[in-house]
Amino acid sequence: MLISIIIPHLNQEDHLRVGLEALHAQRGVTSDVEIIVVDNGSARLPDKICSAWPDVQLLLERIPGPGPARNRGIREARGRILAFIDADCRADSGWLSAIETALTDGTTTIIGGDVRVGYEHPSRPTFLEPYESIYSYRNNEHIAEGFSGTGNLATLRSVLAKVGPFAGIEVAEDRDWGLRARAAGYAIRYVPEMIVFHPARKTFAELRRKWDRHIAHDYERIRPQRLGALRFLARAIAVAGSPIFELKTVVSSPRVSGSYQRILALLCLIAIRLYRGGRMVGVLLRGDGRQISGEWNRTQPARQEPAAVD
């Protein structure tokens, strides 16, 4: 059996190198493995990084967005099992083994795993790392809602053939695909042993950009509904005032340790929730979230594309 790993990439060479090293250090997997990296408009192609391993194929996808990049990889993949991970994620050494075990039991068809924040310096957490450890990448909760983040997702090729491809940057493609799969009768199973580590964002501006995209997607989804604008306004007010109800979570979360990390998490939580509430009101007043939804791929400097790369 063959497992195809598909990785969308955009200007993340250092992370990609670490991620590929982790994928080549997997333990316990018995299937053959192919790795497909799909570049989505980087300023410089990661061809030198990919060529270091004979089982890594580098492709190009010019339609912006991680969804179209994954679709390009799917078209070239040969595996019965398709595994998705992001370029800035590092797979735990048992990631592929967990995928193989779950998807060969004869009953499971779609799985998602645990996404954890990897601290750059565990003894010196940044302002964002404790917050993101608690509040970001809670994939078990997403799966309970019917979808998995596409940075840690695996399924059978036969399922993708029935559910269809991933959407573009105009929607949250992981939620969209997962809910379409559920509507088609498939259940997504959470596999806690299927672990990937995601770096925390470096700056508060990066965290704001993440929420800008989510706010835009949510607005475009809620706006056409009955009393959509009023519901969105109520949600904005609730978000801004929500940190007071999160004290128990911050104090008791097993994802952080020590009072210092918990204080950092609380301060960052207050800052981002106030930002989100204000941003939601701003989007509502403008009446259009689409202008901030296309953040995956911006105009990049022109570059040479080697003829050997498809």
Side-chain angles (χ1 to χ4, degrees):
M1 186 171 63
L2 178 66
I3 300 175
S4 299
I5 302 171
I6 298 170
I7 308 171
H9 172 264
L10 178 66
N11 295 322
Q12 295 174 308
E13 287 189 12
D14 291 340
H15 287 308
L16 179 62
R17 181 184 294 105
V18 172
L20 290 176
E21 289 172 353
L23 290 175
H24 285 89
Q26 294 290 296
R27 298 198 303 262
V29 62
T30 61
S31 299
D32 293 329
V33 177
E34 67 173 3
I35 301 173
I36 300 172
V37 176
V38 185
D39 190 80
N40 198 220
S42 296
R44 180 177 65 185
L45 280 171
D47 49 336
K48 291 183 179 179
I49 294 171
C50 295
S51 63
W53 291 279
D55 60 345
V56 177
Q57 182 181 7
L58 176 61
L59 305 175
L60 299 178
E61 175 53 62
R62 292 177 174 83
I63 298 174
R70 292 187 186 96
N71 294 337
R72 178 71 174 92
I74 291 166
R75 291 196 296 271
E76 296 297 323
R78 298 176 292 115
R80 175 176 173 265
I81 293 175
L82 303 178
F84 301 94
I85 189 170
D86 287 343
D88 57 354
C89 288
R90 172 176 59 86
D92 181 70
S93 60
W95 184 69
L96 270 180
S97 177
I99 291 172
E100 181 182 51
T101 300
L103 288 179
T104 55
D105 68 359
T107 59
T108 304
T109 55
I110 309 174
I111 57 175
D114 188 9
V115 181
R116 303 179 185 177
V117 169
Y119 284 27
E120 188 171 358
H121 302 290
S123 63
R124 293 182 285 110
T126 67
F127 179 60
L128 298 181
E129 285 172 343
Y131 163 81
E132 295 227 89
S133 291
I134 298 174
Y135 288 101
S136 297
Y137 318 118
R138 295 184 290 185
N139 209 31
N140 58 327
E141 297 181 13
H142 296 326
I143 290 171
E145 296 171 7
F147 68 97
S148 172
T150 37
N152 192 9
L153 171 72
T155 188
L156 303 177
R157 174 180 290 279
S158 58
V159 173
L160 264 161
K162 293 181 179 179
V163 176
F166 293 101
I169 57 176
E170 67 278 2
V171 301
E173 86 285 347
D174 46 8
R175 176 188 294 176
D176 173 79
W177 190 88
L179 295 183
R180 281 193 284 122
R182 185 173 66 177
Y186 295 101
I188 303 178
R189 173 184 156 198
Y190 177 62
V191 179
E193 301 83 10
M194 181 183 167
I195 300 168
V196 302
F197 296 92
H198 194 293
R201 290 162 182 85
K202 297 287 187 182
T203 67
F204 196 74
E206 291 180 76
L207 191 58
R208 291 200 306 265
R209 286 195 294 270
K210 166 202 166 180
W211 280 111
D212 284 349
R213 293 193 298 273
H214 286 299
I215 289 166
H217 291 149
D218 285 345
Y219 176 75
E220 293 299 329
R221 178 172 56 88
I222 294 172
R223 177 178 55 86
Q225 301 174 11
R226 184 173 179 269
L227 301 177
L230 186 60
R231 292 174 58 196
F232 196 74
L233 177 60
R235 180 176 294 192
I237 295 171
V239 165
S242 63
I244 192 171
F245 302 105
E246 296 291 335
L247 287 174
K248 182 179 178 180
T249 298
V250 173
V251 169
S252 61
S253 175
R255 286 181 170 245
V256 297
S257 61
S259 58
Y260 179 64
Q261 290 194 29
R262 297 183 194 279
I263 290 171
L264 287 179
L266 180 60
L267 292 174
C268 189
L269 170 69
I270 293 170
I272 196 60
R273 293 287 174 89
L274 290 174
Y275 171 81
R276 286 172 57 191
R279 187 64 157 156
M280 290 171 75
V281 172
V283 170
L284 183 61
L285 292 175
R286 284 195 305 273
D288 185 9
R290 294 181 182 178
Q291 62 180 334
I292 60 173
S293 65
E295 291 291 326
W296 162 260
N297 196 331
R298 300 179 179 138
T299 303
Q300 300 292 343
R303 54 160 165 76
Q304 297 288 25
E305 298 174 355
V309 178
D310 185 359

